[in-house]
Amino acid sequence: MPPTNVRKSAAALSASAAAFALLSGCAAESPSQPGSVSITVAGQPTQENPDQLKAFKRKITDFTKANPGITVTGDESVFDVNTFQALVAGGKLPTVSYVPFTEMQGIIARQQAADITGYVGADAAVKRINPSILKVATSPDNHVYGVPVQAYSMGLLYNRALFTKAGLDPDAPPKTWDEVRAAAKAIHAKTGAQGFGAMTKDNTGGWVLTTMSYAFGSKIQSDDGKQANINNAATRGALEFYRALRWDDDTFGSDFLIGYKDITNALAGGKVGMIVQGADTYTQVVQALGMKPDDFGLAPMPQAPGGLGTLGGGSVAIINPRASAEEIKAALKWIDFAEFGKYNDEQAAVTGAKAAAADKLPVGAPVLPLFDQATTDRYLTWVKDYVNVPREHFTAYFDSAKTLPLVPEPAAKAQETYGILDNVVQAVLTRRDADINALLDDAQKKVQSAIDAG
């Protein structure tokens, strides 16, 4: 899904520039001879993002300097649910790839990632990852098939400049859905911009609707992934909220085939006041799309009475199941270097942050901590002189991360479910007489059928 790709880039960019072998059990080994192992790593930024590409290539240079026995080649591929199976079947998967949380259990069941359990040492950084996050990459028999490298939670993103123009306090964003609706009206009335927006296509419409359902009080699937629960009061409530803003208030805009790039462009360009999106979208809208850092607002996901919390997800680094033992060891060294070095060593953290700041990349962007809060706080202390993100604007979000429950994505057929719900969202936004109950009944049958098909 598009958001995952962008998040992967953000995670990669924030990595430090020093090598650590804490992840794998081969930490004490001496480097092999130059060129003895070659790996390919996905997620290389394209030429359209020169600063990110520069940082990525520098990371490879620093890694190979510290590990002369390993040759690393960047690969621009990003996860695509429509092409992933073909890449695996054709043996063309990079040595290291990044996949969404939602795909991991299916990948494990289909044996499409290497089992790295035997390569993870007792002192490995992966051992310190929040257990609830590491679980997404672990099989039912407790074998580890991937390394979570980035996690996010959904929040209410808003344009602080539009809030100010509308007479709203950008430091006091909405806490309830009634307040969101009122703010959307004010933004539309006083600035002419769309008050609230939501994605509707490429599975993103269903993804956000699932987030809204959680916030309104219900999951859309049983915890074991066997039973769809699409037509519930919370999902109907979320869609009624959409319907009211679209048809009663006219604050939902007029384009209802909206994807990730469309909605982030609209937020960055001051065309929409508020959206529901992952907190890590900061890098996309500020660094890639040019939004002023002080204009980016991030608030906790509003909760209706009985709300369950907010949806959480992220990216997992997996290793090609055809990789040799030496390639797996090299890949784990790369993952550790690229993703975790900054959390283990002050010099590495400072070097990486300094380089990122020099490249005008965000340092201190809002993300969900992979490790404990103390580890995150220690890193931020090390790099405080290079933090270029106005973290003071996100205080409420950071505080909520400690208390607001994180609700995982559906355990089974998440992407298929999201795609089916895209159609429901589009219908509600394009047809005044859309029968929400009937739409959800139909979606329920389709999702259950997809689950039953295995």
Side-chain angles (χ1 to χ4, degrees):
M1 194 163 60
T4 301
N5 302 340
V6 176
R7 291 187 185 102
K8 174 64 204 76
S9 297
L13 290 169
S14 63
S16 68
F20 293 92
L22 294 177
L23 181 65
S24 70
C26 52
E29 294 179 359
S30 298
S32 304
Q33 292 302 309
S36 61
V37 181
S38 296
I39 61 173
T40 52
V41 295
Q44 175 174 294
T46 65
Q47 297 286 347
E48 297 174 342
N49 298 290
D51 293 337
Q52 298 179 11
L53 180 59
K54 179 182 176 182
F56 186 87
K57 289 185 174 180
R58 183 176 59 242
K59 191 187 303 179
I60 291 179
T61 298
D62 291 342
F63 176 78
T64 52
K65 186 182 297 182
N67 298 274
I70 302 172
T71 298
V72 178
T73 301
D75 188 300
E76 293 181 357
S77 65
V78 291
F79 179 81
D80 184 333
V81 69
N82 297 312
T83 60
F84 180 78
Q85 306 299 336
L87 287 175
V88 174
K92 295 183 178 179
L93 202 65
T95 314
V96 178
S97 298
Y98 298 88
V99 303
F101 279 13
T102 52
E103 300 302 309
M104 271 311 297
Q105 290 305 310
I107 287 172
I108 292 172
R110 296 188 296 270
Q111 299 183 327
Q112 293 175 323
D115 181 349
I116 62 173
T117 310
Y119 299 90
V120 177
D123 62 342
V126 70
K127 295 287 189 181
R128 300 199 302 276
I129 291 177
N130 184 324
S132 65
I133 294 176
L134 184 60
K135 186 178 179 181
V136 303
T138 305
S139 67
D141 58 354
N142 293 319
H143 281 235
V144 180
Y145 287 83
V147 181
V149 296
Q150 181 258 343
Y152 70 88
S153 64
M154 301 291 277
L156 182 71
L157 276 56
Y158 61 101
N159 187 308
R160 292 172 57 88
L162 283 180
F163 263 57
T164 300
K165 290 179 182 177
L168 302 170
D169 183 354
D171 293 324
K175 296 179 180 178
T176 68
W177 293 108
D178 286 343
E179 290 179 2
V180 171
R181 184 177 179 180
K185 288 181 180 177
I187 291 168
H188 184 61
K190 296 183 180 179
T191 73
Q194 182 179 333
F196 181 85
M199 300 181 291
T200 62
K201 67 177 185 178
D202 302 331
N203 301 353
T204 59
W207 177 55
V208 172
L209 179 59
T210 299
T211 303
M212 298 280 290
S213 297
Y214 294 172
F216 274 75
S218 179
K219 297 181 182 178
I220 63 168
Q221 188 180 102
S222 59
D223 289 344
D224 62 8
K226 294 181 179 179
Q227 184 63 49
N229 180 36
I230 303 298
N231 194 355
N232 60 72
T235 307
R236 290 194 296 273
L239 288 169
E240 287 291 353
F241 175 80
Y242 277 12
R243 188 202 59 74
L245 270 65
R246 167 68 176 97
W247 297 107
D248 296 344
D249 302 344
D250 192 24
T251 58
F252 216 117
S254 57
D255 185 354
F256 303 111
L257 283 177
I258 300 291
Y260 181 74
K261 290 184 178 178
D262 304 312
I263 203 75
T264 52
N265 268 310
L267 182 71
K271 304 297 184 184
V272 63
M274 297 172 286
I275 64 174
V276 170
Q277 190 55 261
D280 57 338
T281 303
Y282 178 92
T283 298
Q284 168 69 4
V285 298
V286 174
Q287 201 278 326
L289 300 178
M291 187 179 195
K292 294 179 180 177
D294 281 329
D295 288 349
F296 182 89
L298 168 62
M301 187 71 181
Q303 299 292 300
L308 301 180
T310 190
L311 182 146
S315 297
V316 180
I318 63 169
I319 298 174
N320 191 320
R322 301 186 184 188
S324 67
E326 291 305 312
E327 289 170 339
I328 292 174
K329 292 177 183 176
L332 286 171
K333 280 189 174 182
W334 165 260
I335 295 168
D336 189 54
F337 173 88
E339 310 295 348
F340 300 141
K342 65 181 181 180
Y343 295 110
N344 301 320
D345 182 89
E346 181 173 1
Q347 183 177 355
V350 171
T351 300
K354 185 177 181 180
D359 288 337
K360 300 179 181 178
L361 300 176
V363 178
V367 295
L368 194 65
L370 275 177
F371 304 103
D372 56 82
Q373 191 61 47
T375 299
T376 301
D377 291 344
R378 182 179 65 178
Y379 163 73
L380 289 171
T381 299
W382 285 342
V383 303
K384 64 180 185 303
D385 292 341
Y386 302 99
V387 171
N388 54 13
V389 172
R391 290 175 61 86
E392 66 274 13
H393 292 333
F394 318 135
T395 300
Y397 171 80
F398 292 138
D399 289 343
S400 76
K402 302 172 185 174
T403 57
L404 188 64
L406 202 62
V407 186
E409 297 186 72
K413 299 298 181 71
Q415 295 299 334
E416 288 93 330
T417 299
Y418 295 159
I420 292 168
L421 291 177
D422 273 0
N423 298 326
V424 175
V425 172
Q426 290 173 16
V428 170
L429 295 177
T430 58
R431 289 165 29 200
R432 181 184 289 272
D433 62 350
D435 185 334
I436 290 175
N437 198 54
L439 288 167
L440 290 177
D441 270 344
D442 181 60
Q444 167 77 26
K445 294 174 184 175
K446 291 177 178 176
V447 172
Q448 189 61 56
S449 180
I451 292 173
D452 293 342

